[in-house]
Amino acid sequence: MNKRQVTKEKLEGLMSDLQRGSQSVKSSHISWVWGIAYLALALGCVGFVQLAIAHSGFDPEIAEITEELTKNPDSVDLLVRRGQVYRSYGKFMESLQDLERAWLLDRENRKVVLQRALTLSAMGRNEEAEVALDYFVQKESDPKRVIALAERAAIRGRTGRIGLAISDLTSAIQLQPTIELYLYRGQLQESMGKLDDAARGYDDGLAKLGNAIVLKKNLIRVKIAQKQFGAALALIDEEVARSSVKTPWYLQRAELLAIMGQPNASRLAYEQALAETNQMLAKRPTVLHLVARAKILYAMGQREDAIRDLQEALKKSPGYNEAEKLLQQWDGQ
Amino acid sequence: MSTLASEIHLVKKRTVGRNPLCMHAGILSCLLFLILAPSLSAEGAVVRQPYLQKVFTTATDSSVTVVWRTDLNSADNSRVQYGTVEGVLTQEAFGTAITRGNVKDHIVTITGLTAATKYFYNVGTVTDEVQVTGTSEHFFVTAPNPGTTTSFRAWVLGDSGVGSAEQTLVRNAMLTETALNPPDFILHMGDIAYNDGTDSEFTNNHFAVYQDILRHTPLWPTLGNHEWNSLNFPGNFGPYLDAHVLPANGEAGGFASGTELYYSFDYANTHFIVLDSMQSARTPGSPMLTWLQNDLTLTDKEWVIAYFHHPPYSKGTHISDSAADSGGRMVDMRENVLPILEAGGVDLVISGHSHAYERSYLLDGTYGYGTSPNFVTPSFNTLLNDGHLLDAGDGDPAGQGVYQKNSGGNSHDGAVYIVAGHGGNIPSGTGGHPVMLRFDPTNGSVLLDINGTMLTMRNLQAGGLINDTFVIQKGPSPGTPIPPNGVINTPLQDLTISVGTSVSFSGTGTDPDGGPTPSLTYDWNFGTGSGIPNSAQQNPGSKTFSNLGVFTVTFTVTDMGGLGLPDPTPDTVKVTVQNPPSNFTAYNDLAWGTGQLETHITTFTSPNGGSGLPSSGQLVDFSTGLPTPVSLAVTGGEFLDINATQGANPTTGDAFTLFNGKVSGLGAISYVNDVNNSLILTFTNLDPSKVYDLAYFAHRNGYAWDRASLVTLSGAPAFTNTSSVGIDNLGAPLFSGAGDSSTRLPADNDPGYVARFSQIDPGSDGTILLTISFDGNVANQYKGKYGSAVRLVEE
């Protein structure tokens, strides 16, 4: 049973008490109207408290752990758990209080060290967090080092020590490759102008994690930035061959060919994209396809048709971010 | 023994405070279960009974993954034996067990299955033989072919894994209700294993409870906040991910996400999108949302269903309007994710987290209200007046009627939102969210049925009562006549041809009313002045355009049974007929679909490589794009490995002069293994009164070795060999003189050599052949049949 239910039951008990009160009052020959008044008061109380609960961010999971902690206040596990949940809800002070207390109870407990470090980092207390993470990385050998390495990389990244951050991320990837690690490392490498490294990293990610779309797009972007147009084109063509719906790739192919100074080939790719988008629109007339067609038409010089598609998209999907941005951009030209 | 322990533990847990007789009966039934249960090898005790993951069918394959867990005594060489007849398990698939602490997870993926087919199976290892003997209940049914309208049923379950009596009641209610038509798969909304999603909680509160279902019904989960407690992020490991094998690579349909935290899959005519509302970033432009947008753009399925743990609308145990609740995840999902989902034409959104059943009206665009921390949703009347409640009825065919939507995935055509967090944890909350039509704080689960263009959902209480039903119907209301639809299949787009050229016409007619196709009539009109008579054939085939002009070809399909139907809109294609170019220059790229640099080239290549490119057709003039009278057909050869065939553009020599900037040298073709199987380029319909110049270029970057192609011209009474002068990679000259009909080309061809024949007389039949073969002098030369591009000039 969670705290909310306890509260609710208490209120229901109060209501029941009030109802009993009303019965005794009734038995004393006082008007039944009093009973209704009491009942209304009780119902009002329930509603008010529930409204208050709703707007205070009350959470049954925290309530449940809190109730367990009242029985076992020195439980490091419970303190860590509540600290984690508080952090996940953005309540960093409450999280730190729990984790500091857990730390005082068991300074050698590495789980505590790590969770405390994560909360400190979330609070922007970088130096303290990094000290704790250094300790954890040195002492811990199991895969949880990945978490510490990634968090330390985040701290180092936001404090301008990009090289060290990249090094941490590389260590983390060696332990447990994930898309988030690859993306973050690539972003840092790109920010340093290390495009070769970034491309290699994305490539490695694609090899290890499968053909993740976000990594693939980043790799193509880097190849274009490196002016390795042929390689970028080959990557796009892989997707053209692979995908059942090719529009996004035709579109990117067309843009790239235009950069490469091949207007005829570019136009052909736009036409292919347009033909397929029209087919998709016939089957699934979604705003996503309308916006895609707008981009194609605009690139093909059909500005008015493109704007008409965007307006149609915004009519269907008011405030649709991408359509709004494009319309502003094109209207301004 | 651990299975016994967990079963007894569970029974005790479920029967606390109840009749002791029940408890003993429970324990006895457990013991009986173990006596009667499939035999366990002493070599490896099963800790988790087998369960199914990643059951999917693509255009090319049908696949199932079987997972089970043993203690460390088991061997690692996991094996599943299977077959379509119970007890006759003659086929085998293998895997390698993963050791996790003191257990081993066996994961065996079976591919090459037949779609929509029932298979029986047992599990074990090669060393230990059978660990779980297959019974009539150990089976899997492969997914139907994607896009088909096969009806299916899903069991929607959320917040179940508490190990409570209520959880069992919910399960039993489903089993009773679906006894005659069990679910094809389970969609789990998260909070699978309370309190922290630990390994033992998964075993006891999930796998043990549902093992009799999971052995034949795959489960597609999303991450709940309780599983998150034991998730290690960004390492992405922990009991939730250990327990599941999910399609991170887009293998089950949709785009590859690169992570098992969010993914998508296709089943029949439905695309399912599973998001992570707990851990992954939910901001615009974040990896998950970028992936989502791409994934939605790619799907062509009739139905799109999305699910994730945190509900965008709820007043159950959580309040979705409050950014303070659950770290603002519900607000994030509503404000950032729903605009993308609705723009992508989502039909149904399901969540958990709030321990109740809540169900909305047919909604659209209900977000963007209020500011942090309280994003208060306006009242029902305001939403109705603002046009956000597209249908404020109950959607119940027995009540106010079904929700009607257009066919396909029209954006903002309305979606229904469901909270199904009532699968086991104690329900509570006030309800009353303005978008919600139903609120039921009672344990239960939801049954989802999709049958073609009809989606039905029912809330099934733990006590067995169905207290909410709604239907979404795609397309017009039953009984409304719909015009048929005609689509021209070939030619795919407008085209320009030379006079006298033939074009193949074909089309497809469909009748959305479901009437038999023979009831349709077809009418092809090839344009006024074309001189081609109309055709009533569905596929009239080749038609020759002998008159100059621009002709609009129309394809009209008419439904014979549809009295009073509007005329169907004819599909059209424009054919422009011009005089053929003379004295043309034509390039053909022999690559596997990559690298063509200009528009006015052709890409005919051998049909044996699976490139999908045509193997024959008319050459086009490079300067005008007009078709020439000359046709090229490519035959022969045998493709081996595209990865070994990447060529390069010429940077020097005659090849550079003739081909650079016109046709790419990338993607050269490779033909091997059959010494007699030469690649042959046949040019027909050459003008006997003219002479031609034919040049051939090959490049296979970094693969010189001792290979070379022999390029031979035949069918020409007269010609002059004007090939590049040089030596091949064996040190031999390329050709012996102007009268030599053959020229050797080295495989890597870095010097940019071409085989070239000038002043070709095509003879009276107008046909010449270029044969690319091996020389036969050296062992490896039979592998030397390469080609990048060819140029033909009419002089």
Side-chain angles (χ1 to χ4, degrees), chain A residues 40-294:
Chain A
L41 177 64
L43 288 169
C45 283
V46 171
F48 174 77
V49 171
Q50 288 191 334
L51 195 68
I53 285 168
H55 291 279
S56 66
F58 176 90
D59 184 83
E61 192 178 0
I62 287 175
E64 191 180 312
I65 306 169
T66 303
E67 195 172 308
E68 287 181 47
L69 269 168
T70 56
K71 294 176 208 158
N72 191 1
D74 288 340
S75 166
V76 170
D77 280 350
L78 287 170
L79 285 166
V80 169
R81 212 175 116 201
R82 193 170 66 176
Q84 271 182 278
V85 176
Y86 271 134
R87 188 176 65 247
S88 82
Y89 290 176
K91 298 187 173 190
F92 303 132
M93 278 310 298
E94 290 90 337
S95 171
L96 189 62
Q97 278 170 13
D98 278 353
L99 294 165
E100 292 281 9
R101 179 164 163 66
W103 195 44
L104 285 173
L105 290 166
D106 186 357
R107 281 179 177 268
E108 296 300 311
N109 186 322
R110 288 187 203 144
K111 190 174 179 184
V112 176
V113 171
L114 177 61
Q115 293 301 326
R116 180 175 164 272
L118 295 177
T119 295
L120 286 167
S121 176
M123 297 171 83
R125 288 164 64 170
N126 296 332
E127 285 180 23
E128 294 163 87
E130 194 168 347
V131 168
L133 290 168
D134 284 345
Y135 174 82
F136 188 88
V137 169
Q138 281 167 15
K139 298 283 181 186
E140 190 63 63
S141 59
D142 83 6
K144 285 193 172 64
R145 282 184 77 216
V146 175
I147 304 166
L149 285 164
E151 193 64 32
R152 194 169 69 178
I155 293 170
R156 290 172 166 179
R158 63 179 178 249
T159 52
R161 291 167 295 157
I162 309 295
L164 287 172
I166 290 171
S167 168
D168 273 350
L169 289 167
T170 301
S171 303
I173 287 168
Q174 279 166 359
L175 284 169
Q176 195 80 30
T178 71
I179 191 166
E180 293 83 6
L181 294 171
Y182 278 113
L183 287 172
Y184 186 36
R185 187 179 66 174
Q187 183 193 328
L188 292 177
Q189 287 165 331
E190 286 186 59
S191 74
M192 291 182 82
K194 294 187 168 181
L195 298 184
D196 283 344
D197 290 348
R200 249 195 313 277
Y202 294 138
D203 215 18
D204 182 52
L206 286 165
K208 291 209 168 74
L209 302 177
N211 195 45
I213 178 67
V214 186
L215 288 176
K216 194 65 172 276
K217 289 202 158 189
N218 281 7
L219 179 58
I220 292 168
R221 196 192 59 238
V222 170
K223 291 284 182 194
I224 292 171
Q226 290 177 296
K227 301 200 186 308
Q228 293 182 15
F229 299 135
L233 195 61
L235 288 166
I236 293 167
D237 283 343
E238 273 177 21
E239 295 304 320
V240 169
R242 189 199 314 266
S243 302
S244 57
V245 178
K246 305 173 193 305
T247 301
W249 303 111
Y250 282 144
L251 196 53
Q252 198 159 13
R253 189 170 203 279
E255 287 164 359
L256 176 55
L257 288 164
I259 294 170
M260 293 167 74
Q262 294 172 23
N264 290 338
S266 172
R267 184 160 188 92
L268 176 67
Y270 278 125
E271 283 168 1
Q272 287 172 313
L274 185 60
E276 193 182 63
T277 303
N278 283 334
Q279 281 177 7
M280 289 300 290
L281 272 165
K283 192 162 188 183
R284 291 186 62 79
T286 70
V287 164
L288 301 182
H289 292 122
L290 268 177
V291 173
R293 188 168 71 181

Side-chain angles (χ1 to χ4, degrees), chain B residues 160-173:
Chain B
S160 57
V162 284
S164 66
E166 288 76 11
Q167 180 184 8
T168 309
L169 286 173
V170 170
R171 177 197 68 185
N172 293 347

Side-chain angles (χ1 to χ4, degrees), chain A residues 4-5 50 55 59 61 64 81 88 176 178-179 209-211 213 245 264 284 286-287 289 316-317 320 322, chain B residues 195-196 225 229 234-235 249 255-257 293 297-298 301 318 329 344 374 409-412 426 430 599:
Chain A
R4 184 166 184 176
Q5 286 167 312
Q50 288 191 334
H55 291 279
D59 184 83
E61 192 178 0
E64 191 180 312
R81 212 175 116 201
S88 82
Q176 195 80 30
T178 71
I179 191 166
L209 302 177
N211 195 45
I213 178 67
V245 178
N264 290 338
R284 291 186 62 79
T286 70
V287 164
H289 292 122
K316 281 186 169 184
S317 199
Y320 186 64
E322 191 179 9
Chain B
N195 281 320
D196 294 315
N225 54 300
N229 291 343
N249 297 329
F255 252 25
S257 65
Q293 191 155 340
T297 306
L298 285 204
K301 300 293 173 287
H318 292 278
R329 287 172 175 80
N374 294 315
N410 208 334
S411 291
H412 300 282
I426 301 165
T430 60
T599 53

Side-chain angles (χ1 to χ4, degrees), chain B residues 118-307:
Chain B
K118 186 175 185 176
Y119 292 83
F120 297 89
Y121 71 92
N122 67 30
V123 302
T125 64
V126 175
T127 307
D128 302 338
E129 298 292 332
V130 176
Q131 291 173 328
V132 175
T133 305
T135 69
S136 62
E137 291 299 304
H138 288 87
F139 65 84
F140 53 81
V141 180
T142 50
N145 283 315
T148 54
T149 53
T150 311
S151 64
F152 65 87
R153 169 170 290 175
W155 182 33
V156 179
L157 187 63
D159 304 73
S160 57
V162 284
S164 66
E166 288 76 11
Q167 180 184 8
T168 309
L169 286 173
V170 170
R171 177 197 68 185
N172 293 347
M174 182 280 289
L175 290 172
T176 303
E177 177 63 27
T178 65
L180 297 177
N181 182 15
D184 296 282
F185 52 90
I186 304 165
L187 308 178
H188 204 296
M189 301 301 117
D191 286 359
I192 303 167
Y194 286 87
N195 281 320
D196 294 315
T198 63
D199 200 77
S200 61
E201 286 166 349
F202 263 99
T203 299
N204 297 328
N205 294 350
H206 178 66
F207 286 107
V209 177
Y210 303 113
Q211 64 183 18
D212 290 352
I213 301 168
L214 296 173
R215 65 189 174 191
H216 51 60
T217 313
L219 181 143
W220 299 92
T222 186
L223 179 75
N225 54 300
H226 285 273
E227 286 80 64
W228 175 85
N229 291 343
S230 295
L231 178 80
N232 295 283
F233 186 88
N236 292 5
F237 57 94
Y240 169 80
L241 291 171
D242 291 348
H244 297 109
V245 184
L246 303 169
N249 297 329
E251 61 268 44
F255 252 25
S257 65
T259 172
E260 290 181 298
L261 292 175
Y262 49 90
Y263 59 93
S264 60
F265 65 97
D266 290 334
Y267 195 95
N269 62 346
T270 304
H271 185 61
F272 290 91
I273 296 171
V274 187
L275 298 175
D276 165 26
S277 58
M278 185 61 208
Q279 175 59 62
S280 299
R282 301 168 297 278
T283 48
S286 60
M288 181 169 75
L289 270 58
T290 303
W291 167 82
L292 171 65
Q293 191 155 340
N294 280 284
D295 186 75
L296 274 166
T297 306
L298 285 204
T299 188
D300 58 358
K301 300 293 173 287
E302 179 71 47
W303 297 96
V304 173
I305 296 175
Y307 60 96

